[in-house]
Each structure stands twice: as C-alpha cells, then as structure tokens.
Amino acid sequence: MKARDKFQKLNLSNAFLFAAVMNDAEVCRLVLEILTGEPVEAVNVQSEQSILFSSDFRSVRLDVYARDCLEVEYDLEMENGGESLPKRSRYYQSQMDVAALKPGDDVDLLGLSYVIFLCTFDPFDEGLYRYRFENTCTETGNSLGDGTKKIFLNTRGRTKKDVSEELLHFLAYVENTTDECAALYNDRKLDRIHRKVKELKASREWRARYMKFEELLSKEREEGQFAGEKRMLALVRAMLQDNRSDEIPLLETDEKLREELFREYHI
C-alpha cells in the first residue's frame, strides 16, 4: 500500500494520528470533556516534540499532556495492547507531579490531575466502556483527597450503563475513523474532531511526518530486537559458565526468572 493511501486509512487509534489531532487545543479540550464526562476549560497542549515537530528523531513516545486554565493536568495515552497499565498510570502520575513542582515548592501547590488511557481492548475484562479510579480509604470509603484520578477507556465495551452517548460515539469513531462513521451520529463534538482529522489527512506535510515516524519506528523495533537478542545471549553464556544449563529452557516462558537472572548477572 502506498504511503499516501496508508495515511488516509489511519484510524484515530493510531498513536501518531491521535497525537497529531490532539495537538489542536480545542479538539483536545473536547476529547477530554468526552472522556472525563466533566467540563474542561481551555487547554494548552504538548505532544511529543521530537516526533511531531523536530528533525531530531530520537523517541517514538506520543503521549499527550494538557493543562487547562484552572491548572488541572491531563496525561492522555492511546493504547493498542500495552501491558502493566495500572503500574504505568502510577508512574505517569508521579512524573506529572515532579514536573509540576519547582525546587522548594510546597506540595499544596499540586492541583487536580488525570492519567487517561484510551484502549482498543478491555484492560480489566469487565465489559465496561470506562473505568474510573480515585484513592479512597479502605475502612470508610472516603476519598483521600489527593487530587489524582485515573481513567481507562475501552473502545470494545458492552455495558452502556452510566455512559454518555457522546462517549459511545467517540469510542466507535476511534476504531472506525471514516466519513461514514462521523455522519452516523448527530454529534457536534465528533464533527469538530472529524474536521481536524480530515485536515491532517489532506496535508502533505503531515503525511511526510508520518512516513518519517514509520521509518523510525521500524528502525527502533529492529534495534530493540537486536539488543534483546544480545542480552539474552550474554545471559545464556554466563549460565553455561556457572553450570546452570538446566535452567536455560525456563528462560523462554518464565519472565520473572529472566529478570531475576538479568539482575543477578548485572546484564
């Protein structure tokens, strides 16, 4: 498939297209309102600069960070099969907190923050379209009041209870980003999002950026695979030297054992 055709057929679930669309502050604000189910004030947006705007292509991370005029922070991630999402949400939350405070700042300056994963799979296998988490007291059920919220969206949910129509429309559109899908719903917010998608897909500049992104992603996958193979080979050699050949067959299936051995041998 030609690059132009491939770019035209991208769904919003594609990390590159998603980050590019969310770089439009008004579109990002509308998406955040849909996903959180709450009003969102005007936002400033930062997408991964090294991919979208710089000639220094060193990273393929495409997370979207936004802060509204009320100092509420949002970290928005598109996920197409990622692992360890709960732990990653914890890590991203901590990263936002560290970035929000300058040396000497009081922790009371930390405001409300959201970590949001938009998933094309069910992260908790409960059939919900949206899972929302806040820290609460185990004994009383009272909120901790630390101002942190984590939301996991599922484009393939089944249970529509307590889910807005506009959220259902948007989640369907994420996996079917077409004129036909957008026209199916009489949805003002979705129409505005779709106009931005069409604008980007009509841009030669953005098509060229996507081609560069694909080239980089392919290169990093190859380099990562090569590095992983070298690491495994070094581990096997070390185990053979220590007469631990009986454990080598377990390396393929036992991830915990692999990581323990990598640490043990400092590889």
Side-chain angles (χ1 to χ4, degrees), residues 81-204:
E83 299 178 350
S84 304
L85 297 190
K87 290 294 181 67
R88 285 172 56 195
S89 70
R90 173 180 170 180
Y91 174 72
Y92 294 156
Q93 187 74 65
S94 67
Q95 291 292 96
M96 278 201 296
D97 289 345
V98 169
L101 294 179
K102 299 181 178 64
D105 281 350
D106 193 286
V107 293
D108 286 339
L109 293 176
L110 291 173
L112 182 63
S113 64
Y114 291 81
V115 175
I116 304 172
F117 287 91
L118 183 48
C119 305
T120 56
F121 58 96
D122 192 336
F124 301 108
D125 297 321
E126 297 287 346
L128 302 183
Y129 283 96
R130 179 170 59 195
Y131 302 88
R132 290 179 284 191
F133 295 86
E134 294 184 42
N135 291 323
T136 58
C137 176
T138 302
E139 285 74 22
T140 66
N142 293 333
S143 172
L144 179 61
D146 61 350
T148 64
K149 298 187 179 185
K150 300 176 179 68
I151 302 176
F152 300 79
L153 287 307
N154 168 26
T155 60
R156 302 183 184 184
R158 301 184 305 274
T159 303
K160 297 182 179 181
K161 182 180 179 181
D162 299 326
V163 179
S164 68
E165 286 295 315
E166 66 179 14
L167 178 58
L168 294 175
H169 298 167
F170 179 75
L171 293 178
Y173 178 77
V174 166
E175 290 207 55
N176 184 21
T177 309
T178 61
D179 292 339
E180 292 76 14
C181 183
L184 187 62
Y185 310 111
N186 183 24
D187 190 313
R188 177 185 61 82
K189 291 181 180 178
L190 189 59
D191 288 342
R192 174 65 178 85
I193 296 165
H194 187 55
R195 286 200 303 273
K196 183 63 182 181
V197 169
K198 292 199 295 182
E199 174 189 322
L200 291 173
K201 287 187 174 182
S203 167
R204 291 183 178 181

Side-chain angles (χ1 to χ4, degrees), residues 32-44:
L32 289 172
E33 282 194 340
I34 293 170
L35 300 185
T36 63
E38 300 173 3
V40 175
E41 300 294 330
V43 299
N44 291 317

Side-chain angles (χ1 to χ4, degrees), residues 15-16 19 46-52 57-65 75-79 88 91-92 95 117 213 216-217 220:
F16 180 90
Q46 295 176 11
S47 296
E48 180 57 50
Q49 300 296 312
S50 64
I51 287 297
L52 297 181
F57 291 92
R58 292 182 180 175
S59 171
V60 296
R61 280 192 55 75
L62 287 171
D63 52 321
V64 178
Y65 169 81
D75 177 63
L76 187 53
E77 308 276 339
M78 177 62 70
E79 291 291 333
R88 285 172 56 195
Y91 174 72
Y92 294 156
Q95 291 292 96
F117 287 91
F213 168 73
L216 172 66
L217 191 61
E220 288 211 352

Side-chain angles (χ1 to χ4, degrees), residues 214-250:
E214 285 286 285
E215 178 185 330
L216 172 66
L217 191 61
S218 177
K219 183 178 179 181
E220 288 211 352
R221 283 172 177 163
E222 291 175 1
E223 291 177 351
Q225 181 178 2
F226 179 65
E229 290 173 352
K230 288 180 64 178
R231 190 183 185 205
M232 183 64 74
L233 181 58
L235 176 59
V236 170
R237 285 173 175 167
M239 292 174 68
L240 288 172
Q241 290 175 356
D242 285 352
N243 297 316
R244 300 176 68 173
S245 58
D246 57 323
E247 295 179 72
I248 292 176
L250 301 175

